């Protein structure tokens, strides 16, 4: 596979998967509307499945936001700080993300184990319920990976003398 394609896939992985999920979500909502209008009775599983698809999309988007510096941050004060202060604060941001994601991952593993043991399925489907909760664990792992990647990128840019001051601009 071409390295350009792999690089593009790596930069936008969450966006591609999120787009597929959004497409499935839209189709499912359309199907539900069609069923309601045509037969007066929408399928029972659509509410649960759309909710869980949205959950997956949300947690994937969190990792994408960190990768592309589009997460919530305070930029007004940071623009007046020195390069060194911004470097330290950028690392503090990223370490905070990693710490937060590690704590959530630690606790979601227990929840996932309990959900697997129950053997329950998403209402009206053969899909195990634990797969919905897996979104949180996968999202947190992606956040950790993306924060580590961002730490490497920030360090390289700082060593090369580039500006690392966060801006309100989204880098895609």
């Amino acid at each position: 596979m071409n390295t350009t394609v792999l690089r593009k896939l790596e930069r936008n992985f969450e966006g591609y998967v999120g787009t597929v999920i959004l497409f499935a979500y839209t189709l499912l909502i359309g199907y539900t509307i069609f069923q309601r209008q045509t037969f007066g009775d929408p399928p029972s599983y659509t509410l649960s499945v759309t909710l869980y698809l949205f959950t997956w999309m949300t947690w994937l988007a969190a990792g994408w936001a960190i990768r592309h510096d589009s997460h919530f941050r305070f930029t007004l004060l940071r623009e007046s700080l020195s390069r060194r202060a911004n470097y330290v604060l950028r690392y503090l941001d990223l370490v905070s993300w990693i710490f937060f994601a590690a704590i959530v991952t630690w606790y979601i593993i227990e929840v996932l184990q309990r959900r697997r043991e129950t053997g329950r399925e998403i209402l009206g489907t053969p899909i195990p319920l634990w797969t919905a909760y897996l979104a949180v664990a996968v999202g947190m792992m992606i956040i950790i990976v993306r924060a580590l990647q961002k730490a490497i990128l920030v360090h390289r840019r700082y060593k090369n003398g580039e500006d690392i001051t966060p801006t309100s601009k989204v880098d895609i």
Side-chain angles (χ1 to χ4, degrees):
M1 220 178 194
N2 188 343
T3 57
T4 306
V5 172
L6 288 176
R7 189 169 291 130
K8 189 174 180 181
L9 178 63
E10 180 277 322
R11 280 187 58 79
N12 299 300
F13 173 75
E14 299 92 331
Y16 295 139
V17 175
T19 300
V20 170
I21 290 172
L22 185 60
F23 183 70
Y25 181 88
T26 304
L27 285 176
L28 194 55
I29 295 289
Y31 175 70
T32 303
I33 292 168
F34 174 76
Q35 286 289 99
R36 183 178 301 130
Q37 295 299 320
T38 307
F39 302 109
D41 187 27
S44 61
Y45 63 88
T46 57
L47 179 61
S48 298
V49 172
T50 54
L51 175 68
Y52 296 133
L53 285 173
F54 189 76
T55 302
W56 269 93
M57 193 171 58
T58 301
W59 286 111
L60 288 172
W64 186 88
I66 290 170
R67 173 66 169 96
H68 295 280
D69 269 343
S70 60
H71 58 288
F72 182 72
R73 60 193 184 273
F74 300 100
T75 57
L76 187 59
L77 174 65
R78 304 271 292 264
E79 292 171 352
S80 64
L81 297 175
S82 69
R83 282 187 68 241
R84 177 86 173 143
N86 270 303
Y87 181 69
V88 169
L89 289 174
R90 289 295 293 261
Y91 263 85
L92 183 61
D93 289 345
L94 296 168
V95 167
S96 297
W97 276 112
I98 292 167
F99 185 70
F100 166 75
I103 289 172
V104 173
T105 301
W106 178 263
Y107 286 103
I108 196 64
I109 289 171
E110 181 183 333
V111 173
L112 277 169
Q113 288 172 339
R114 285 195 312 248
R115 294 295 180 257
R116 285 197 65 200
E117 289 168 2
T118 65
R120 291 180 48 202
E121 296 173 343
I122 295 174
L123 179 67
T125 73
I127 302 168
L129 184 59
W130 65 266
T131 60
Y133 292 87
L134 185 63
V136 178
V138 170
M140 291 299 117
M141 298 307 272
I142 289 174
I143 286 172
I144 290 169
V145 168
R146 292 307 194 178
L148 290 170
Q149 283 179 321
K150 197 64 175 180
I152 292 167
L153 292 172
V154 166
H155 180 71
R156 281 184 190 158
R157 289 179 58 201
Y158 181 75
K159 282 185 78 170
N160 291 338
E162 297 175 39
D163 185 21
I164 58 165
T165 305
T167 66
S168 56
K169 178 182 164 272
V170 175
D171 174 34
I172 297 180

